[in-house]
Amino acid sequence: MRHITTHHKPATGLRGLGDTSWHPHGACHGMDPWDADAVFFPGPRDHAAIAEAKELCGWCPVRRDCLNYALEHDLQDGIWGGLTEAERRPWHKGLPQRLDYSRVIAFFDGRDVHLTDAERQVVIDHAYVRGWRPDRLAAALRISNKHARDLLRQVANRIFDRDLTLGVPPNPYKKKRKQARKKKGQAAGGRPAATRATTDPAKRQPVTPRTAETTAARATFGKAA
């Protein structure tokens, strides 16, 4: 199964289903329909027609778009993108696992990208790393907020399990922030933490009496000097 993301701005080669804006730029554009059928839909043994079609596709500027169009629409007949039916068969079978990072980058740029299953999983992983909220991911992938929340939770659990397996130590900054929040909450609940600690007679530290020498020594550095 493949997925279509939202459309914000067009980009050549990075478009969803139904976009045929690349057609006018093809080398075969404007050919007579009968001639095009004879060239691009030859018989399995018509090697001359196959060679002619491949030569025409060889210098076509939208050859990649043509191939993607055939793969995404499951067009298994004819020559598309310079590849015959037999040459395209492995591409059709492996399409759900195709991973093109240029398409992932285009997704985060807000473009209309026809994501495969593998590309969609990479997008979800990076969305979690970037701190996306479920509603933002849901809007981008056109899914429900609950589904987006479950997907992000799955990524978090997978990263947690990976860290446990590899023995990665916990983040020290998280522990410091937790301790700081705990101290702040204790101080906000009544008297400051330092004040509460000194109210217990058993924990009260002995007070060292000030001597005259200490007072005089400190006074020499003050305003009274």
Side-chain angles (χ1 to χ4, degrees), residues 9 17 32 78 82-83 89 93 95 115 125 147 156 158 180 185 192 210 212 223:
K9 42 189 173 181
L17 290 171
D32 184 85
L83 299 181
R89 193 170 296 118
K93 293 181 178 179
L95 182 61
L115 296 173
D125 294 344
H147 188 191
R158 188 169 70 251
R210 290 186 179 181
K223 295 183 179 180

mmCIF file of all heavy atoms in Angstrom, residues 9 17 32 78 82-83 89 93 95 115 125 147 156 158 180 185 192 210 212 223:
data_model
loop_
_atom_site.group_PDB
_atom_site.id
_atom_site.type_symbol
_atom_site.label_atom_id
_atom_site.label_comp_id
_atom_site.label_asym_id
_atom_site.label_seq_id
_atom_site.Cartn_x
_atom_site.Cartn_y
_atom_site.Cartn_z
ATOM 1 N N LYS A 9 3.003 22.829 -2.491
ATOM 2 C CA LYS A 9 3.651 23.478 -3.617
ATOM 3 C C LYS A 9 4.168 22.417 -4.574
ATOM 4 O O LYS A 9 4.669 21.380 -4.150
ATOM 5 C CB LYS A 9 4.785 24.380 -3.146
ATOM 6 C CG LYS A 9 5.654 23.801 -2.033
ATOM 7 C CD LYS A 9 6.587 24.859 -1.508
ATOM 8 C CE LYS A 9 7.344 24.341 -0.292
ATOM 9 N NZ LYS A 9 8.239 25.332 0.282
ATOM 10 N N LEU A 17 -0.430 10.878 -7.152
ATOM 11 C CA LEU A 17 -1.150 10.236 -8.242
ATOM 12 C C LEU A 17 -2.044 11.235 -8.976
ATOM 13 O O LEU A 17 -2.567 12.169 -8.399
ATOM 14 C CB LEU A 17 -2.011 9.098 -7.684
ATOM 15 C CG LEU A 17 -1.246 7.873 -7.178
ATOM 16 C CD1 LEU A 17 -2.203 6.931 -6.470
ATOM 17 C CD2 LEU A 17 -0.560 7.161 -8.306
ATOM 18 N N ASP A 32 1.778 10.634 -33.079
ATOM 19 C CA ASP A 32 0.494 10.081 -33.496
ATOM 20 C C ASP A 32 0.153 8.896 -32.601
ATOM 21 O O ASP A 32 1.011 8.065 -32.298
ATOM 22 C CB ASP A 32 0.568 9.634 -34.956
ATOM 23 C CG ASP A 32 -0.772 9.130 -35.462
ATOM 24 O OD1 ASP A 32 -1.587 9.960 -35.894
ATOM 25 O OD2 ASP A 32 -0.987 7.891 -35.409
ATOM 26 N N GLY A 78 3.666 -2.492 -21.846
ATOM 27 C CA GLY A 78 4.328 -1.466 -22.623
ATOM 28 C C GLY A 78 5.675 -1.057 -22.050
ATOM 29 O O GLY A 78 6.156 -1.607 -21.055
ATOM 30 N N GLY A 82 11.812 3.872 -20.411
ATOM 31 C CA GLY A 82 12.898 3.150 -21.057
ATOM 32 C C GLY A 82 13.034 1.715 -20.619
ATOM 33 O O GLY A 82 14.017 1.055 -20.972
ATOM 34 N N LEU A 83 12.078 1.174 -19.869
ATOM 35 C CA LEU A 83 12.146 -0.204 -19.385
ATOM 36 C C LEU A 83 10.966 -1.003 -19.930
ATOM 37 O O LEU A 83 9.836 -0.511 -19.958
ATOM 38 C CB LEU A 83 12.133 -0.252 -17.855
ATOM 39 C CG LEU A 83 13.290 0.443 -17.134
ATOM 40 C CD1 LEU A 83 13.141 0.278 -15.622
ATOM 41 C CD2 LEU A 83 14.637 -0.095 -17.596
ATOM 42 N N ARG A 89 9.378 -5.503 -13.940
ATOM 43 C CA ARG A 89 8.704 -6.414 -13.006
ATOM 44 C C ARG A 89 9.320 -6.388 -11.610
ATOM 45 O O ARG A 89 8.581 -6.332 -10.612
ATOM 46 C CB ARG A 89 8.702 -7.828 -13.586
ATOM 47 C CG ARG A 89 7.765 -8.786 -12.846
ATOM 48 C CD ARG A 89 7.621 -10.092 -13.588
ATOM 49 N NE ARG A 89 6.996 -9.905 -14.894
ATOM 50 C CZ ARG A 89 7.591 -10.194 -16.059
ATOM 51 N NH1 ARG A 89 8.827 -10.680 -16.064
ATOM 52 N NH2 ARG A 89 6.957 -10.009 -17.196
ATOM 53 N N LYS A 93 7.392 -5.278 -7.923
ATOM 54 C CA LYS A 93 7.347 -6.123 -6.734
ATOM 55 C C LYS A 93 7.980 -5.434 -5.528
ATOM 56 O O LYS A 93 7.519 -5.603 -4.398
ATOM 57 C CB LYS A 93 8.058 -7.450 -7.011
ATOM 58 C CG LYS A 93 7.339 -8.326 -8.028
ATOM 59 C CD LYS A 93 8.086 -9.632 -8.234
ATOM 60 C CE LYS A 93 7.345 -10.533 -9.226
ATOM 61 N NZ LYS A 93 8.063 -11.812 -9.462
ATOM 62 N N LEU A 95 8.236 -2.150 -5.009
ATOM 63 C CA LEU A 95 7.825 -0.753 -4.853
ATOM 64 C C LEU A 95 7.485 -0.371 -3.414
ATOM 65 O O LEU A 95 7.873 0.696 -2.955
ATOM 66 C CB LEU A 95 6.639 -0.459 -5.774
ATOM 67 C CG LEU A 95 6.133 0.987 -5.753
ATOM 68 C CD1 LEU A 95 7.232 1.943 -6.205
ATOM 69 C CD2 LEU A 95 4.911 1.144 -6.633
ATOM 70 N N LEU A 115 4.352 8.699 -1.150
ATOM 71 C CA LEU A 115 5.236 7.935 -0.285
ATOM 72 C C LEU A 115 4.952 6.443 -0.362
ATOM 73 O O LEU A 115 3.796 6.031 -0.403
ATOM 74 C CB LEU A 115 5.076 8.395 1.173
ATOM 75 C CG LEU A 115 5.474 9.830 1.500
ATOM 76 C CD1 LEU A 115 5.097 10.154 2.940
ATOM 77 C CD2 LEU A 115 6.961 10.043 1.290
ATOM 78 N N ASP A 125 9.389 8.384 11.786
ATOM 79 C CA ASP A 125 10.539 8.390 12.698
ATOM 80 C C ASP A 125 11.116 9.791 12.837
ATOM 81 O O ASP A 125 11.406 10.257 13.948
ATOM 82 C CB ASP A 125 11.623 7.431 12.193
ATOM 83 C CG ASP A 125 11.163 5.978 12.238
ATOM 84 O OD1 ASP A 125 10.160 5.702 12.921
ATOM 85 O OD2 ASP A 125 11.806 5.135 11.583
ATOM 86 N N HIS A 147 -4.643 7.745 15.353
ATOM 87 C CA HIS A 147 -3.694 6.926 14.600
ATOM 88 C C HIS A 147 -2.298 7.544 14.641
ATOM 89 O O HIS A 147 -1.298 6.836 14.829
ATOM 90 C CB HIS A 147 -4.168 6.782 13.152
ATOM 91 C CG HIS A 147 -3.369 5.805 12.359
ATOM 92 N ND1 HIS A 147 -3.482 5.682 10.990
ATOM 93 C CD2 HIS A 147 -2.427 4.902 12.742
ATOM 94 C CE1 HIS A 147 -2.658 4.746 10.566
ATOM 95 N NE2 HIS A 147 -1.999 4.263 11.597
ATOM 96 N N ALA A 156 8.462 5.790 19.870
ATOM 97 C CA ALA A 156 9.064 6.024 21.187
ATOM 98 C C ALA A 156 9.387 4.700 21.879
ATOM 99 O O ALA A 156 10.466 4.546 22.471
ATOM 100 C CB ALA A 156 8.120 6.868 22.041
ATOM 101 N N ARG A 158 9.958 1.819 20.434
ATOM 102 C CA ARG A 158 11.040 1.155 19.713
ATOM 103 C C ARG A 158 12.402 1.745 20.074
ATOM 104 O O ARG A 158 13.383 1.016 20.256
ATOM 105 C CB ARG A 158 10.804 1.253 18.208
ATOM 106 C CG ARG A 158 11.779 0.414 17.390
ATOM 107 C CD ARG A 158 11.367 0.321 15.937
ATOM 108 N NE ARG A 158 11.522 1.572 15.243
ATOM 109 C CZ ARG A 158 10.517 2.336 14.836
ATOM 110 N NH1 ARG A 158 9.274 1.970 15.056
ATOM 111 N NH2 ARG A 158 10.743 3.468 14.201
ATOM 112 N N ALA A 180 15.091 19.117 39.534
ATOM 113 C CA ALA A 180 14.791 20.544 39.682
ATOM 114 C C ALA A 180 13.295 20.779 39.846
ATOM 115 O O ALA A 180 12.868 21.602 40.660
ATOM 116 C CB ALA A 180 15.324 21.305 38.470
ATOM 117 N N GLY A 185 8.645 21.991 43.291
ATOM 118 C CA GLY A 185 7.339 21.648 43.825
ATOM 119 C C GLY A 185 7.324 21.603 45.339
ATOM 120 O O GLY A 185 6.354 22.018 45.981
ATOM 121 N N PRO A 192 10.256 27.005 52.206
ATOM 122 C CA PRO A 192 11.345 26.496 51.385
ATOM 123 C C PRO A 192 11.919 25.225 51.980
ATOM 124 O O PRO A 192 11.822 24.946 53.162
ATOM 125 C CB PRO A 192 12.361 27.642 51.384
ATOM 126 C CG PRO A 192 11.569 28.856 51.717
ATOM 127 C CD PRO A 192 10.465 28.390 52.612
ATOM 128 N N ARG A 210 30.537 32.993 67.098
ATOM 129 C CA ARG A 210 31.515 33.917 66.518
ATOM 130 C C ARG A 210 32.439 34.445 67.614
ATOM 131 O O ARG A 210 31.987 34.839 68.677
ATOM 132 C CB ARG A 210 30.804 35.103 65.866
ATOM 133 C CG ARG A 210 30.053 34.737 64.591
ATOM 134 C CD ARG A 210 29.517 35.993 63.967
ATOM 135 N NE ARG A 210 28.815 35.703 62.719
ATOM 136 C CZ ARG A 210 28.268 36.632 61.964
ATOM 137 N NH1 ARG A 210 28.342 37.914 62.329
ATOM 138 N NH2 ARG A 210 27.660 36.291 60.866
ATOM 139 N N ALA A 212 35.520 37.076 68.898
ATOM 140 C CA ALA A 212 35.825 38.498 68.708
ATOM 141 C C ALA A 212 36.834 38.684 67.601
ATOM 142 O O ALA A 212 36.794 39.662 66.854
ATOM 143 C CB ALA A 212 36.349 39.097 70.019
ATOM 144 N N LYS A 223 32.557 48.468 55.558
ATOM 145 C CA LYS A 223 32.502 49.925 55.515
ATOM 146 C C LYS A 223 32.987 50.562 56.803
ATOM 147 O O LYS A 223 33.385 51.708 56.833
ATOM 148 C CB LYS A 223 31.057 50.386 55.229
ATOM 149 C CG LYS A 223 30.576 49.965 53.846
ATOM 150 C CD LYS A 223 29.186 50.504 53.595
ATOM 151 C CE LYS A 223 28.713 50.115 52.208
ATOM 152 N NZ LYS A 223 27.373 50.621 51.932
#
